[in-house]
Amino acid sequence: MLRNFLTVAVRNLRRNGGTTAINIFGLAVSLAVVLLVLLFVREQWRIDRFHSASDRIHRVTTLRMNDGAHFATAPTPLPTALRESAPGIDAATAVDQYGDTFVVRGDTSLGVEAMKVDASFWQVFDGFQLRAGSRERLLAQPHTAVVTLEMARRLFGTDNPVGRTFLHEGETEYTVTGVLAPPDGPTHVGGDVFLSLTDASSAGGDADAWGDVYSQWTYVRLAEGTSASDLEATAGILFERGAQPEDASDYQLSVQSLATLRFGPRLWNEIAGRLTLSGWTFWFIGGLAAVLLIAAGFNYVSLSVAQSLRRAREVGVRKTLGAQQSQLVGQFLGEAIVTALSASVVATMLLGGFVPLFNNLYLLDLLEIPPLDLNLLLDPAVIGLIALTGVVVGLLAGAYPAFVLSSYRPAQTLRAQGDSSRGGGSQRLRSALIAVQVAVTLFLVVTATTMLRQTWHMATADHQLRTDRVASVALQDVPYDTFRDAVDDLPSVQDVAAINNLMLGPSSYDTRYLRSSLVETPIKTVSFAVDTSFVAHMGLTLRASVSNWDRAYVQGDGVLLNQAAVEKLGFDSPSAALGAEITEDRSETSGVGRTVVGVVDNFEYTGTGEVYGGGLADPEGPMMLYANARHYKYALVRAGSDDLAVLRGDLKDAWTERFDTLHPFEFRYYDDIVRMRYGPLQDVAYLTGGVGLLTILIAALGLLSLATYQVQTRTKEIGVRKALGASVTDVVVHLSWPFAVLLVGTALVTTPIAWVVNHGWLQWMPDAVDVEGGIVVLCVGAVVGVCLVTIGMQTVRAARLDPATTLRDE
Amino acid sequence: MIQTENLKKVYRTDEVETLALNGVHVEIDAGEFVSVMGPSGCGKSTLLNVLGLLDTPSEGRYAFDGQEVGDHSERQRAKLRKGNIGFVFQSFNLIDELTVYENVELPPLYLDIPSAERDERVEAALDRVQIAHRRDHFPQQLSGGQQQRVAVARAVVANPKLILADEPTGNLDSTNGAQVMELLSDLNEAGTTIVMVTHSPADAEYSARTIHLFDGKVVSENFIEQEYAAHPGA
Ligand SMILES: Nc1ncnc2c1ncn2[C@@H]1O[C@H](COP(=O)(O)OP(=O)(O)OP(=O)(O)O)[C@@H](O)[C@H]1O
Ligand SMILES: [Mg+2]
């Protein structure tokens, strides 16, 4: 029986070659995207699965009560306290992400990513395997370290690394006691170097230490039978007992399982960029893939139902020969599954093209998501997943046609050949499916276009801040003056300025509270430490200033305000603020005096945080610039020519020769920093647009085969019409008209919705473009146009046929 | 084998109601060869569909092989049909995607007959209609007469008790038609009950009895002898 199903399935699919190709290709395109998402989700799902009973691993987190901010960190003494006094816990560890740093051995200095962990780390995350060294009391001694195999090679070559030493940041000596094998899966607590964190255990129960909830992460391996809420209760009691009363009421501890860590919301203080598939990302890309899959599934349903006229006779014959409905359902489902499985094979090949595109996404870089590895496709689990997806999709797409087709009554279907009334009922269904496809396509295309316009706007907007030909160099321990004096005269350098946090970038900004005698309450003000040359070199407009403002600014307590700050602090005009004494709060009771020496125009400096939510700064809000050489963290260097590579080379030489042989040279083009503002949106636009294009493709393919099919079944009618005197145009219009009405109707309904939705999200953007009527109309016109041309091609061809041929055919 | 009482079949479409069968009484014994004749649209095919359990009557009683089937569900009817009733249609109704062999193989397949026996039966059926040499051809590659012979093979392969044939020669020339009629009367002689709709008096002569339908009613039942008496030399 199965063989018979398959034979018929394959022959049927082959006989309707065009339709089959369209079905397979459409499904393959969408399946490829679905597989991509599944692979991505699977990689995310595998994070830290390689530890034993990984569902027992939890993280204690901290809720700040006054603003609801949820931090991934927990009070510093908590792991020790849990270990010492909490029941039901197998292990608890303190983790301190040290982040990017460097280690030195002999005269090599290597940039590494470091973690500081205590000895319990290896019990909580027990899936990490050692290549050398002993797990026993690993990292229990101060100044010991575990390094990855790769790092061991780079530091010590082929020598046995255990017992050898390196200098962390060129200062502190660490002895290697273990070498880590490459882990069996992705992890969110990885690094190149694990340094012993021994001071935490000694911190014990000091109340002030309990108040430090931002520094360290606490991971716990629960004993069997202990629940997350048990741990939450215990941790809460320990915290209340240990902390100062006001801290205990300011914060509340909560517990997160690894599962919510993988897909849950991103918390503040997240340990690394690796845990990144926040619910939103997941839903977004999953949603896009689902839309595509549904569009392709619709094609399958719509084409199968269209063919039902012809298949109806087959059903009738089979039923008279003794087939039960269930057997026929099996047969049609079988066909759908064969189609979907063939599509999976094509999809796997397409995936080879999609994965590199996906890996190119800037977002992955920004969030430190490792790229997808195409070798994954060789993994039996992945192959199984692909096959399973094919079967599931086949079942879903085939269910409706299978049910409809198999329910035909034999007496009806055999009675009359070519009785087209049967197509009538499903006509409405097919129209609805097309309408939904076209609507989704329109929506995606309009949205992607709007996003791209916003991206371009943000990429090219005149930020007032002149960042062209500018690069930033992290000063690290080099005093700014030294750096400037050394590079100022280089021929490739035009200007140099200093700042503490990069404007338009991903950093969060400092805020201060300012008071003036003119207003009651202190004014929350974003502040930047910049040197005097910053104003001119970065193109700020000095609206008003005292004479020789730069001297007062650098030497004394002089500050520059923007116009918003001037207004908020109660001054009538920029010049009225000049020379005014204001106070910068340092605590509830004390402050330092400041003098306003100049006023600059408001300008855009907000960064990634402000664009994507979570940022606090408002470009139209008050801002203060002050001088403090000790605060400067970056030198901003403008190149004398457009060739920034020369600048980079010169600065790097200067850096290694003159200042610092320890710290790695950190150089970034300002364009790359600004890109963080619009790059993610650009990715979202590319994804949406890409999926939009694919849905147009799928919808057009579906229309093509529907039109083809319709024309085929109506050749006789066309012949008769022409024999009776209809012109080619008459026939084309007659055949295309219902499609045209459907398409235009769909466009009329969808366009306003797309408009409103896009207008809506743009409101969240700082410095937003507006939805442009002309462009929306253009998008809609393009989509409808593509569809009409598709239909037209078929109808024109049919209308051209010589009526004699079509009529003779019977 | 077949007993009906007051069979009615009403087709309702949007505008009109057609009374395709209007109180049909027929009784057909096992082993009979019966023709059904009548003008176009009088309800012959409808009657055959109802007798073949492909359609349900709107009213009336129908007993097939001693079993009351009037209120059988679609499922039950399908089950009863399987292996008991074979069909031959005017337009052959072979499945285009299947070869001759595979078309004939379908009924035993649906009966879950094991493959060795199935193979034997299919071969035998193909031999019987002398089409075995075309076993791997597709229907489109055969002439009309050959296709109808395949259809007959398919109708008999499961050894049904009853064969229903709706104008089996309607699309065939007289030579091919005669071949098919010979096949049917051979089958009848071997014991199969046959009910055949036809417009051709010549074909009706193969049967022992003819039922005449008019406007959904049986108007006369003539045995072949009476028919001869009425139309000598026809
Ligand atoms: N599915 C249906 N819906 C509506 N009316 C039907 C349907 N099937 C048959 N009829 C009507 O019932 C009547 C009997 O039809 P039937 O097919 O049984 O005629 P017939 O005697 O086989 O004619 P012919 O010799 O032309 O094949 C006709 O008037 C036909 O129009
Ligand atoms: Mg008929």
Side-chain angles (χ1 to χ4, degrees):
Chain A
M1 188 58 64
L2 193 66
R3 186 180 58 84
N4 188 268
F5 280 180
L6 284 180
T7 322
V8 181
V10 170
R11 288 201 195 130
N12 232 314
L13 297 176
R14 212 188 296 147
R15 199 182 71 173
N16 303 314
T19 309
T20 306
I22 286 172
N23 268 331
I24 290 184
F25 185 70
L27 280 174
V29 166
S30 58
L31 270 174
V33 176
V34 170
L35 290 176
L36 187 69
V37 172
L38 282 179
L39 284 186
F40 184 50
V41 172
R42 180 171 173 271
E43 276 309 281
Q44 204 70 21
W45 180 86
R46 284 177 61 221
I47 289 177
D48 287 308
R49 276 279 154 190
F50 58 91
H51 309 293
S52 70
S54 64
D55 54 329
R56 300 217 306 259
I57 304 176
H58 289 72
R59 179 165 79 177
V60 183
T61 59
T62 307
L63 268 168
R64 189 163 68 193
M65 301 312 281
N66 66 353
D67 60 357
H70 195 171
F71 294 87
T73 42
T76 312
L78 183 64
T80 317
L82 284 170
R83 270 197 302 265
E84 283 168 359
S85 53
I89 284 170
D90 280 353
T93 181
V95 176
D96 180 3
Q97 182 189 24
Y98 203 90
D100 287 334
T101 174
F102 66 99
V103 295
V104 179
R105 168 164 172 79
D107 23 270
T108 46
S109 166
L110 293 175
V112 297
E113 222 181 284
M115 301 279 274
K116 280 194 158 187
V117 303
D118 64 24
S120 302
F121 182 82
W122 315 103
Q123 276 109 58
V124 175
F125 297 103
D126 62 0
F128 288 113
Q129 300 298 327
L130 287 184
R131 223 11 108 69
S134 149
R135 281 191 99 82
E136 198 69 18
R137 295 187 45 74
L138 191 61
L139 296 191
Q141 293 302 315
H143 302 298
T144 54
V146 171
V147 297
T148 60
L149 197 57
E150 157 77 11
M151 194 46 62
R153 284 214 186 96
R154 288 173 64 194
L155 277 173
F156 309 108
T158 50
D159 297 353
N160 179 5
V162 174
R164 319 264 324 232
T165 60
F166 61 79
L167 292 174
H168 179 225
E169 305 208 320
E171 288 162 0
T172 324
E173 190 177 76
Y174 279 86
T175 307
V176 175
T177 54
V179 176
L180 209 59
D184 288 339
T187 176
H188 83 288
V189 287
D192 305 309
V193 175
F194 293 78
L195 305 173
S196 57
L197 177 72
T198 44
D199 40 336
S201 38
S202 58
D206 168 3
D208 285 337
W210 278 100
D212 178 9
V213 299
Y214 302 123
S215 309
Q216 289 183 5
W217 290 261
T218 301
Y219 289 86
V220 178
R221 170 177 285 275
L222 294 178
E224 234 166 316
T226 313
S227 72
S229 49
D230 295 342
L231 173 60
E232 193 166 298
T234 321
I237 292 168
L238 288 172
F239 180 53
E240 233 166 83
R241 204 183 288 159
Q244 306 278 14
E246 67 267 24
D247 284 336
S249 60
D250 278 355
Y251 303 108
Q252 192 185 323
L253 301 189
S254 102
V255 170
Q256 209 185 5
S257 70
L258 267 190
T260 59
L261 247 147
R262 293 183 189 104
F263 296 106
R266 263 177 96 87
L267 305 188
W268 291 74
N269 264 359
E270 196 48 84
I271 188 160
R274 298 179 206 95
L275 284 176
T276 46
L277 201 65
S278 74
W280 183 85
T281 328
F282 173 68
W283 286 114
F284 174 73
I285 58 173
L288 283 183
V291 162
L292 257 186
L293 190 60
I294 290 170
F298 276 11
N299 270 4
Y300 188 88
V301 172
S302 155
L303 295 179
S304 313
V305 173
Q307 286 178 352
S308 63
L309 182 58
R310 189 163 58 211
R311 302 302 297 275
R313 196 178 69 91
E314 181 196 330
V315 172
V317 172
R318 285 181 180 274
K319 282 198 167 177
T320 60
L321 299 178
Q324 308 265 352
Q325 177 162 3
S326 57
Q327 287 169 314
L328 291 173
V329 168
Q331 179 185 337
F332 290 117
L333 278 182
E335 277 173 36
I337 291 171
V338 168
T339 310
L341 280 178
S342 322
S344 314
V345 174
V346 180
T348 311
M349 294 189 277
L350 288 178
L351 203 58
F354 283 175
V355 164
L357 282 180
F358 181 76
N359 282 342
N360 259 343
L361 286 180
Y362 177 66
L363 211 56
L364 296 192
D365 246 11
L366 192 67
L367 299 178
E368 295 181 42
I369 300 177
L372 280 180
D373 185 357
L374 264 180
N375 286 329
L376 273 178
L377 293 177
L378 303 175
D379 183 340
V382 172
I383 294 172
L385 186 72
I386 292 174
L388 183 71
T389 313
V391 171
V392 168
V393 168
L395 285 175
L396 289 179
Y400 179 77
F403 180 76
V404 170
L405 286 171
S406 65
S407 65
Y408 287 160
R409 299 291 201 81
Q412 318 270 309
T413 52
L414 294 178
R415 194 182 148 266
Q417 305 280 299
D419 170 7
S420 55
S421 64
R422 186 152 287 288
S426 62
Q427 182 67 46
R428 218 168 291 145
L429 170 77
R430 284 179 343 234
S431 304
L433 295 182
I434 293 174
V436 172
Q437 279 181 337
V438 172
V440 167
T441 307
L442 282 175
F443 185 81
L444 290 177
V445 169
V446 170
T447 305
T449 317
T450 313
M451 284 176 175
L452 278 180
R453 285 185 51 238
Q454 174 69 22
T455 305
W456 287 325
H457 175 71
M458 286 163 76
T460 58
D462 180 7
H463 294 300
Q464 291 102 4
L465 208 60
R466 278 184 53 212
T467 57
D468 54 303
R469 286 187 285 123
V470 171
S472 86
V473 176
L475 289 169
Q476 302 174 73
D477 287 344
V478 180
Y480 171 63
D481 286 348
T482 319
F483 179 84
R484 186 196 54 212
D485 292 347
V487 304
D488 221 3
D489 297 335
L490 292 173
S492 55
V493 173
Q494 187 182 320
D495 304 325
V496 189
I499 195 166
N500 61 341
N501 283 315
L502 293 172
M503 291 179 176
L504 300 172
S507 27
S508 52
Y509 304 130
D510 293 344
T511 50
R512 305 285 165 90
Y513 285 87
L514 300 184
R515 295 173 186 274
S516 81
S517 52
L518 301 170
V519 289
E520 302 262 305
T521 47
I523 305 299
K524 189 174 176 185
T525 307
V526 177
S527 74
F528 288 95
V530 299
D531 71 335
T532 30
S533 53
F534 182 88
V535 176
H537 292 167
M538 298 305 282
L540 304 193
T541 313
L542 202 54
R543 186 60 43 200
S545 62
V546 301
S547 54
N548 292 331
W549 69 272
D550 41 348
R551 185 125 27 91
Y553 179 80
V554 178
Q555 290 170 357
D557 51 11
V559 295
L560 299 174
L561 298 179
N562 72 351
Q563 285 186 319
V566 166
E567 280 162 34
K568 282 272 165 126
L569 287 167
F571 301 106
D572 293 335
S573 67
S575 44
L578 293 182
E581 301 289 331
I582 57 175
T583 315
E584 183 189 318
D585 281 1
R586 279 291 152 85
S587 72
E588 302 273 310
T589 47
S590 69
V592 293
R594 297 291 202 177
T595 311
V596 181
V597 298
V599 176
V600 296
D601 282 356
N602 291 350
F603 66 95
E604 173 73 277
Y605 58 86
T606 53
T608 323
E610 281 71 26
V611 176
Y612 299 103
L616 305 165
D618 170 7
E620 305 288 313
M623 189 194 62
M624 175 180 81
L625 301 175
Y626 66 98
N628 187 337
R630 272 174 299 130
H631 287 188
Y632 302 150
K633 288 201 297 227
Y634 301 95
L636 304 175
V637 187
R638 170 170 278 110
S641 76
D642 281 338
D643 194 350
L644 274 88
V646 175
L647 177 72
R648 187 193 162 96
D650 285 358
L651 290 177
K652 185 169 171 131
D653 290 347
W655 180 269
T656 38
E657 278 164 29
R658 298 215 220 161
F659 316 118
D660 195 328
T661 48
L662 294 181
H663 291 86
F665 176 60
E666 269 184 39
F667 175 96
R668 285 203 287 174
Y669 299 113
Y670 220 100
D671 284 348
D672 288 343
I673 295 164
V674 178
R675 190 173 170 201
M676 291 187 198
R677 298 179 89 234
Y678 66 84
L681 181 65
Q682 191 174 25
D683 280 348
V684 173
Y686 284 159
L687 284 173
T688 314
V691 169
L693 289 181
L694 293 179
T695 49
I696 297 188
L697 178 73
I698 290 173
L701 286 175
L703 275 171
L704 178 69
S705 57
L706 262 189
T708 313
Y709 181 79
Q710 216 200 41
V711 162
Q712 271 172 11
T713 53
R714 291 171 75 175
T715 42
K716 191 168 165 205
E717 176 200 335
I718 297 168
V720 173
R721 280 178 189 276
K722 287 184 77 177
L724 296 178
S727 71
V728 171
T729 325
D730 291 337
V731 174
V732 170
V733 169
H734 175 76
L735 292 176
S736 312
W737 187 243
F739 286 113
V741 170
L742 182 70
L743 290 172
V744 172
T746 307
L748 286 181
V749 175
T750 317
T751 312
I753 299 175
W755 190 306
V756 168
V757 170
N758 279 289
H759 186 75
W761 72 259
L762 280 172
Q763 301 312 303
W764 293 85
M765 290 275 143
D767 188 20
V769 296
D770 205 355
V771 186
E772 193 78 57
I775 292 175
V776 172
V777 170
L778 211 68
C779 291
V780 172
V783 171
V784 172
V786 166
C787 295
L788 282 178
V789 167
T790 311
I791 295 160
M793 281 183 335
Q794 281 309 305
T795 50
V796 168
R797 215 181 54 167
R800 283 244 180 87
L801 282 181
D802 180 3
T805 7
T806 54
L807 289 179
R808 192 158 14 105
D809 252 6
E810 261 311 278
Chain B
M1 163 127 300
I2 286 173
Q3 282 143 339
T4 74
E5 222 171 87
N6 195 29
L7 271 191
K8 288 193 180 167
K9 178 73 191 176
V10 186
Y11 287 112
R12 285 189 186 83
T13 53
D14 293 340
E15 305 94 44
V16 287
E17 247 184 35
T18 316
L19 198 55
L21 295 179
N22 188 10
V24 174
H25 299 268
V26 286
E27 241 173 81
I28 298 168
D29 292 333
E32 268 198 281
F33 188 159
V34 178
S35 297
V36 179
M37 294 188 78
S40 185
C42 70
K44 302 181 297 293
S45 298
T46 308
L47 177 62
L48 219 59
N49 284 340
V50 171
L51 296 183
L53 303 175
L54 295 178
D55 216 344
T56 45
S58 315
E59 222 179 275
R61 300 175 40 154
Y62 174 26
F64 174 79
D65 209 11
Q67 200 178 342
E68 187 60 46
V69 292
D71 49 3
H72 270 28
S73 69
E74 155 90 22
R75 233 187 132 74
Q76 286 170 309
R77 280 184 286 128
K79 222 174 133 196
L80 196 55
R81 213 156 55 212
K82 195 162 26 172
N84 284 325
I85 307 177
F87 294 87
V88 181
F89 303 94
Q90 174 178 5
S91 49
F92 323 136
N93 277 331
L94 299 176
I95 295 179
D96 294 337
E97 287 76 24
L98 297 181
T99 62
V100 164
Y101 184 92
E102 288 162 346
N103 262 289
V104 177
E105 192 188 20
L106 279 178
L109 257 182
Y110 286 127
L111 280 171
D112 288 330
I113 291 175
S115 81
E117 186 190 341
R118 195 168 69 221
D119 200 49
E120 241 167 63
R121 286 220 207 169
V122 175
E123 293 295 349
L126 290 175
D127 279 341
R128 196 159 177 182
V129 302
Q130 292 163 12
I131 200 82
H133 57 294
R134 297 293 181 116
R135 42 175 297 157
D136 292 327
H137 287 213
F138 285 93
Q140 298 95 319
Q141 299 166 322
L142 302 180
S143 74
Q146 291 168 327
Q147 289 190 43
Q148 194 61 303
R149 271 155 42 208
V150 175
V152 172
R154 191 178 62 179
V156 303
V157 69
N159 288 331
K161 297 178 185 149
L162 173 67
I163 288 183
L164 298 171
D166 195 348
E167 301 184 42
T169 61
N171 281 350
L172 303 178
D173 63 32
S174 53
T175 328
N176 277 307
Q179 260 185 3
V180 167
M181 287 314 300
E182 290 296 340
L183 272 173
L184 287 179
S185 58
D186 287 353
L187 284 170
N188 179 243
E189 265 158 42
T192 314
T193 315
I194 294 180
V195 181
M196 173 184 75
V197 169
T198 182
H199 283 289
S200 144
D203 287 353
E205 280 171 27
Y206 285 88
S207 66
R209 173 160 73 109
T210 304
I211 297 173
H212 285 276
L213 279 186
F214 189 79
D215 263 359
K217 277 190 167 147
V218 179
V219 289
S220 71
E221 280 198 26
N222 294 329
F223 287 91
I224 229 170
E225 296 76 19
Q226 295 167 311
E227 194 75 4
Y228 266 120
H231 311 277

